[in-house]
């Protein structure tokens, strides 16, 4: 069968580029693992693990908030583990991480636009008494819960915008698009044959279901890495600034905690106090949400960062059209 070799080569190409759900056999296997019985089983195991860990941590620490957040974190970790292993999401994450770290040079333009105004605003919060009082009261699970809330809010802002961007890929795919998309891939010769044969592929051009999920995950992971790195930069900035500029006596006056005469220092190291770590973590989490909003609204950054990845994904969408037609012919020939 002459189509078999380009089909197999195309499937390997999709896997190398973080698009396992573009491969029909892989997508069918993943869909079988998303059946009702399997999903109920995964949810049940996650609920047991989350409840047990949350209850254990809550009883051990005596803090209900820490137990709740621990349970939620274990549940999310279980879902992530299942997705990475059973749903082949590790293939997507590997490529997206490699692409994100390969685009670290684009962090500087975003940082030079987003950081100055953010730091100017947030530094006033950092030296504000009320912020220290609020952050110092965020014990254990409450602080981690706040960071999770910021992350989920950023996710909620990011995903709809990315879906809107990706939905434009398959609106109109013409013969020239197929040739351009397949250039340099194992499907280049097959694309030329299809174009010469004037094959009409309107249905094959539509990207839906798991394939759209695949594209969204690629962009979310790539964007999340950059947001995380910028948030860590803000965290480091305030940790260093606080250690240099904020004295223990000032912290003691700000937090006004009658049960503690001096700030707490982890492991007895008098450099970064627990209060400083809490404030810096809280502000870094807020900064991550801010960076996400900037990333999806700043036209220059979107043009610089998203254009590279979007072009690759658009190329994959075009190559997928050729691949699906070859698969159809291969199955029809028996």
């Amino acid at each position: 069968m002459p189509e078999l070799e380009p089909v197999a080569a195309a499937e390997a190409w999709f896997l190398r580029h973080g698009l396992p759900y573009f491969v029909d056999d892989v997508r069918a296997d993943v869909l079988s693992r998303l059946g009702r019985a399997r999903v109920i089983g995964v949810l049940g195991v996650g609920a047991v693990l989350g409840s047990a860990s949350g209850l254990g941590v809550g009883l051990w620490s005596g803090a209900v908030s820490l137990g709740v957040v621990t349970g939620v974190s274990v549940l999310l970790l279980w879902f992530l583990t299942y997705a990475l292993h059973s749903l082949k999401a590790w293939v997507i994450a590997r490529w997206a991480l490699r692409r994100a770290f390969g685009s670290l040079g684009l962090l500087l333009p975003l940082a030079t636009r987003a950081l100055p105004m953010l730091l100017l605003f947030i530094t006033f919060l950092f030296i504000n008494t009320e912020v220290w009082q609020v952050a110092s009261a965020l014990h254990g699970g409450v602080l981690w819960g706040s960071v999770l809330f910021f992350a989920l809010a950023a996710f909620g802002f990011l995903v709809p915008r990315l879906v809107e961007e990706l939905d434009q890929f398959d609106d109109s795919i013409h013969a020239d698009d197929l040739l351009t998309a397949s250039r340099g891939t194992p499907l280049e010769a097959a694309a030329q044959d299809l174009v010469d044969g004037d094959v009409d592929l309107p249905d094959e051009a539509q990207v839906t279901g798991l394939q759209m999920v695949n594209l969204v995950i690629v962009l979310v992971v790539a964007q999340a890495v950059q947001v995380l790195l910028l948030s860590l930069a803000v965290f480091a900035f305030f940790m260093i600034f606080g250690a240099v500029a904020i004295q223990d006596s000032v912290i003691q006056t700000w937090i006004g905690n009658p049960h503690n005469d001096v700030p707490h220092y982890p492991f007895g190291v008098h450099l970064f106090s627990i209060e400083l770590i809490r404030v810096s973590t809280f502000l870094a989490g807020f900064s991550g949400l801010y960076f996400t909003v900037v990333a999806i609204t700043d036209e220059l950054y979107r043009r610089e960062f998203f254009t590279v990845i979007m072009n690759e994904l658009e190329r994959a969408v075009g190559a997928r059209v050729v691949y699906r037609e070859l698969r159809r012919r291969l199955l029809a020939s028996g």
Side-chain angles (χ1 to χ4, degrees), residues 74-256:
V74 170
L75 180 63
L76 293 177
L77 182 60
W78 164 248
F79 290 156
L80 179 62
T81 302
Y82 181 77
L84 289 174
H85 181 264
S86 300
L87 304 184
K88 310 297 182 183
W90 66 269
V91 178
I92 307 173
R94 180 185 61 186
W95 184 88
L97 288 171
R98 186 167 63 246
R99 169 57 61 188
F101 283 109
S103 303
L104 288 182
L106 298 177
L107 274 176
L108 183 59
L110 176 61
T112 55
R113 289 192 297 274
L115 275 177
M117 289 301 298
L118 174 65
L119 291 179
L120 181 63
F121 165 73
I122 215 169
T123 299
F124 284 100
L125 293 179
F126 184 74
I127 59 176
N128 186 282
T129 303
E130 287 76 12
V131 172
W132 279 80
Q133 291 174 344
V134 170
S136 64
L138 298 178
H139 298 285
V142 180
L143 178 60
W144 178 235
S146 300
V147 174
L148 282 179
F149 172 78
F150 287 134
L152 292 175
F155 183 80
F157 281 120
L158 185 62
V159 171
R161 185 61 177 268
L162 295 181
V163 172
E164 180 181 343
E165 296 275 351
L166 292 170
D167 192 47
Q168 303 173 11
F169 281 0
D170 54 6
D171 288 344
S172 59
I173 296 181
H174 306 290
D176 291 341
D177 299 321
L178 293 183
L179 295 177
T180 301
S182 302
R183 189 170 296 124
T185 73
L187 297 169
E188 185 172 358
Q192 186 65 57
D193 292 339
L194 291 180
V195 171
D196 293 340
D198 196 23
V199 177
D200 186 18
L201 304 168
D203 295 331
E204 300 298 334
Q206 298 301 310
V207 179
T208 58
L210 282 178
Q211 295 168 91
M212 178 61 75
V213 171
N214 198 156
L215 298 177
V216 172
I217 292 176
V218 166
L219 289 176
V220 167
V221 173
Q223 185 63 62
V225 169
Q226 297 211 341
V227 171
L228 176 62
L229 292 176
L230 285 169
S231 299
L232 290 175
V234 172
F235 175 80
F237 171 82
F238 283 119
M239 288 289 289
I240 296 173
F241 176 69
V244 173
I246 309 298
Q247 302 298 316
D248 290 352
S249 58
V250 177
I251 297 177
Q252 181 181 353
T253 302
W254 280 350
I255 62 177

Side-chain angles (χ1 to χ4, degrees), residues 2-17:
E3 293 91 352
L4 180 58
E5 183 177 349
V7 166
E11 291 176 345
W13 186 86
F14 284 133
L15 292 176
R16 288 197 305 272
H17 287 76

